[in-house]
Every structure is written in C-alpha cells, then in structure tokens.
Amino acid sequence: MPNTLDQSFVKNSPWKPDIFKGKVVFVTGGAGTICRVQTEAMVLLGADAAIIGRNVAKTESAAKEIAQLRPGAKVIGIGAVDVREVQQLKDAADRTVRELGRIDFVIAGAAGNFLSDFNHLSSNAFKSVVSIDLLGSYNTVKATFDELRKNKGAILFVSATLHYYGVPFQLHVGAAKAGVDALSNALAVELGPLGIRSNCIAPGFIDGTEGFARLAPPAEDGAPGMESKVPLQRFGTTKDIAESTVYLFSPAADYVTGTIQIVDGGIWHIGGFTNAFYPQAIISANSDPQSKL
C-alpha cells in the first residue's frame, strides 16, 4: 500500500529508532488514511498503540497490520466506538490502560466530511460534522485526561486549513475545525501547568487520501497539474504528516504547545484551490432552488 510506512521510515529517518520506547499512543480514527500513518510512525519509533474506530473489522484489521511493523509491538484495535459518546471513549481508554499499561499521547483524528453547498446542507448534517469533529475531539481528551495528567502527556488534534479563508462546500467542516483549533489553544493554557501539551496539525491536500479524492478539483485537459499551484510544487504525502506528528510528540517539542502545525506546502496562503472552481460551481449548485432544512 503506497500510503503506509515500513522499516525504511526508520532507516531513513532523522529520529532515533526507539524515541518512543515504553510510550503508548491512543488514536481516534486510527484506521483512516492519515491517522493510520501517524500511528505507524509512532509504532515504528518504539510506541505501542490503541486505534479507535466505528468499524470493528476495519479497526481490528488495521491494528494487526500496524503491529507487524516492529517486532514486539503491541497494537490493539477497538471498534464500535462513536466519538460523540464519551462513555464509549472512556471504556476504550480503560481497555487501553488494562492491555497496554498507560496512555502518553493522544491523537484526536476522527472526522466526518462531505461536499455540500449551504443551500443543500441540512441542519442535521451540519450538526453531525460538528459533533464528530469538535465534540468528538473534546470527548477524546476528556476520556484520556487522567492518563495524560499522570504521565504528563501530549495531545495532537487533526485540524485543517479550511477556516483560514472562505471555502465553499466546506462550511460545516471549516466551522468544526475552527472550534478544534480554539479547543486546543485553550487546553494548552489550562493544562500546561499540569505538564500536558496540546497542539494541532493541519494537513493540506494529502495525495492518496479519501479527502483528497473528494475535494481536489480535477485538472483541465492540457493544463498544468494542480500541484503546480502549490508553492512547494507538489501535493503532500501521508509521510509529511507522520514526520510532523513525530516532531510534535518528541522531546524536540517539549516547549511547544498551543500551536497549529500547518502541513500544506504553503497553499493556504494563496487561498487553496477555491479559485479553480469559483464562482461557477456555486452558481451551478444553486440552480436548484430547493433548500434543505
């Protein structure tokens, strides 16, 4: 699978192979593309892991595959967990401690997304995304807080850049991720005296992910690829996200909290790819006057 890591990550990495030895990372959305590779990087560098998801088979299968990356690694997959239900997350955290001994790092990565213009975005659909992305992030920290406090751990929220500028068809996610950023900033201040760090990572267009397939506009025939619009002249990779994740959890970032690590090649500075389809797509989407409530 091109978007997963292997031992070459350790061999070619600037990080020490056992930098996270004896540590445990708790990851919501850990069977998804981005969060899975974040988990893989942590496991390859010595950590054990618990990945949390709704789909039991997918989550357990991913855990078994990740465990094969490092001899002796312990990775458990805990399915049938809805991050909107804090007790389900608390049960998952308790199981993690029973089976792996502790929780040092938390990645709040469970998220929901789809394309919809305002006119056709129902209130229920808006609420669903905010509940998964924002409330789910809050619940994840709430459920793991005792362990984070005991081990002076670190939190990493998976955010986005969608709220840095106006992005049509993504207002529900932009609103949710703006809340995630605010949550992380407040926790950095409130939990800092307890020894807990809180940061965000904000991926841009990451090639090979489901979000990329849904959201990236297609290139026109004969036109330069859309990656030419990115200041660094390429799309991101899941390895780019993994490297930033390792940094933010590593001792190198011991004095880093309350930050948002943007990993997007600089595209947010020029408004992303919105100009590739604006305003024609908006006009087309609203040709149907029927609005969803």
Side-chain angles (χ1 to χ4, degrees):
M1 298 174 65
N3 290 303
T4 60
L5 302 180
D6 54 33
Q7 279 292 330
S8 65
F9 177 78
V10 181
K11 182 183 297 184
N12 301 321
S13 174
W15 308 106
K16 294 179 180 178
D18 61 352
I19 191 172
F20 298 121
K21 185 177 181 179
K23 304 293 187 180
V24 174
V25 59
F26 181 96
V27 187
T28 62
T33 312
I34 286 179
C35 293
R36 171 170 174 155
V37 174
Q38 290 177 292
T39 308
E40 289 175 344
M42 298 294 289
V43 169
L44 281 164
L45 295 173
D48 291 329
I51 61 172
I52 318 302
R54 297 191 71 177
N55 186 307
V56 175
K58 181 180 179 181
T59 303
E60 292 181 350
S61 175
K64 291 178 181 177
E65 292 169 1
I66 295 170
Q68 300 302 311
L69 293 175
R70 191 191 85 242
K74 296 179 181 178
V75 182
I76 59 174
I78 307 175
V81 177
D82 186 335
V83 295
R84 293 170 290 188
E85 302 295 334
V86 69
Q87 187 57 52
Q88 292 182 19
L89 280 166
K90 184 61 169 65
D91 292 343
D94 289 346
R95 178 181 163 188
T96 300
V97 174
R98 285 196 308 271
E99 297 189 22
L100 301 181
R102 57 192 292 141
I103 296 172
D104 300 276
F105 307 116
V106 170
I107 298 176
N113 194 3
F114 50 86
L115 292 173
S116 178
D117 66 294
F118 170 76
N119 187 36
H120 297 96
L121 180 67
S122 71
S123 293
N124 188 59
F126 181 91
K127 177 183 177 182
S128 179
V129 169
V130 172
S131 294
I132 294 170
D133 290 26
L134 179 53
L135 176 61
S137 294
Y138 178 87
N139 286 345
T140 300
V141 179
K142 197 74 171 176
T144 56
F145 174 66
D146 289 342
E147 284 292 302
L148 288 168
R149 176 168 53 182
K150 180 166 63 176
N151 299 316
K152 297 187 183 302
I155 307 157
L156 185 59
F157 296 95
V158 179
S159 187
T161 63
L162 298 168
H163 49 293
Y164 300 166
Y165 49 95
V167 179
F169 302 106
Q170 289 285 275
L171 63 91
H172 45 318
V173 187
K177 296 302 189 182
V180 169
D181 287 3
L183 172 64
S184 179
N185 292 343
L187 287 176
V189 174
E190 187 169 337
L191 303 185
L194 305 180
I196 301 171
R197 296 186 299 111
S198 176
N199 292 288
C200 289
I201 190 166
F205 280 94
I206 305 301
D207 199 5
T209 64
E210 183 178 351
F212 181 91
R214 289 184 181 183
L215 304 177
E220 296 180 6
D221 290 342
M226 291 305 298
E227 65 268 25
S228 66
K229 302 292 185 181
V230 181
L232 288 183
Q233 298 294 287
R234 68 174 178 86
F235 292 129
T237 67
T238 50
K239 183 174 178 288
D240 291 321
I241 305 301
E243 297 282 13
S244 290
T245 299
V246 171
Y247 164 67
L248 288 169
F249 280 147
S250 78
D254 272 353
Y255 202 55
V256 177
T257 193
T259 68
I260 301 168
Q261 180 68 61
I262 302 170
V263 188
D264 79 336
I267 189 68
W268 80 270
H269 285 292
I270 59 173
F273 294 125
T274 299
N275 59 355
F277 59 85
Y278 184 85
Q280 290 81 7
I282 307 299
I283 296 169
S284 177
N286 284 276
S287 61
D288 176 7
Q290 186 64 39
S291 176
K292 283 192 176 181
L293 296 178

